[in-house]
Amino acid sequence: YKNYSIGMKKALGFFISLLVIVTLIETYIPPKIYFTPAPSQSFMYLSKNTPYNTVFAVYPNDKLHEAFFNLPVHERFLLNPKDYKNNEFDSSIFTKSLSTSGGLQRLQQLGGKYLIVFKNGKEADITFFKSSNLLELRKEFSDSYVFVMN
């Protein structure tokens, strides 16, 4: 330590101080960790059966985090990531509107080709998706449905 220049001593002191602060922050405010045991089969289906540039949306809103964290699995463009907003688009409003004809038309206008609907949604909404003439049921899984836009 004695052989270091004054500038080097200051830099080393700053680095050690920064390291101590980061360590204390992690001790008192631990990072939030999400655990998802396995990706949904619907994401695996998208990955294996659609082109790389496929755009899709997820319904209902509480499953958006799962779609986001599984991006490395499906490697497709998620249209409605949770809490995304800009001047022209609010993903939570868009996701809620998907259970209407106007919402599906908006999905089509935005270039969405697929819609993944999880079975934990409202039964009336699931019935709407199944009976909509804008959608075709492509595949059903234990936890979700994969629809394609007509």
Side-chain angles (χ1 to χ4, degrees), residues 114-130:
Y114 288 86
L115 176 63
I116 295 178
V117 178
F118 284 88
K119 292 182 177 181
N120 70 327
K122 295 178 187 173
E123 192 62 38
D125 293 345
I126 293 172
T127 302
F128 167 78
F129 292 126
K130 287 181 175 179

Side-chain angles (χ1 to χ4, degrees), residues 10 14 27 30 36 39 44 51-52 63-64 98 104 135 145:
K10 286 183 180 182
F14 175 75
T27 302
T36 53
M44 298 297 291
Y52 182 74
K63 290 294 188 174
L64 293 175
L98 282 172
L104 291 179
L135 295 172
Y145 302 96

Side-chain angles (χ1 to χ4, degrees), residues 58-61 64 80-81 90-99:
V58 173
Y59 184 88
N61 209 11
L64 293 175
N80 56 338
D90 184 332
S91 73
S92 62
I93 293 171
F94 171 74
T95 303
K96 289 175 188 172
S97 75
L98 282 172
S99 59

Side-chain angles (χ1 to χ4, degrees), residues 14-60:
F14 175 75
F15 176 72
I16 290 173
S17 300
L18 183 66
L19 190 61
V20 167
I21 290 170
V22 168
T23 303
L24 288 174
I25 288 173
E26 284 186 0
T27 302
Y28 293 108
I29 307 170
K32 196 172 196 177
I33 298 173
Y34 290 97
F35 176 72
T36 53
S40 172
Q41 293 174 316
S42 54
F43 298 130
M44 298 297 291
Y45 176 84
L46 276 183
S47 176
K48 293 177 182 173
N49 298 293
T50 62
Y52 182 74
N53 61 351
T54 298
V55 178
F56 76 100
V58 173
Y59 184 88

Side-chain angles (χ1 to χ4, degrees), residues 54-124:
T54 298
V55 178
F56 76 100
V58 173
Y59 184 88
N61 209 11
D62 67 339
K63 290 294 188 174
L64 293 175
H65 68 280
E66 190 174 326
F68 181 76
F69 286 113
N70 283 299
L71 278 172
V73 174
H74 55 74
E75 297 180 324
R76 302 302 181 265
F77 297 108
L78 177 61
L79 189 57
N80 56 338
K82 190 171 182 85
D83 298 327
Y84 175 76
K85 293 180 185 177
N86 66 21
N87 293 338
E88 301 169 8
F89 185 80
D90 184 332
S91 73
S92 62
I93 293 171
F94 171 74
T95 303
K96 289 175 188 172
S97 75
L98 282 172
S99 59
T100 65
S101 294
L104 291 179
Q105 288 170 352
R106 178 86 169 124
L107 171 63
Q108 209 166 29
Q109 289 170 355
L110 293 171
K113 180 74 174 158
Y114 288 86
L115 176 63
I116 295 178
V117 178
F118 284 88
K119 292 182 177 181
N120 70 327
K122 295 178 187 173
E123 192 62 38

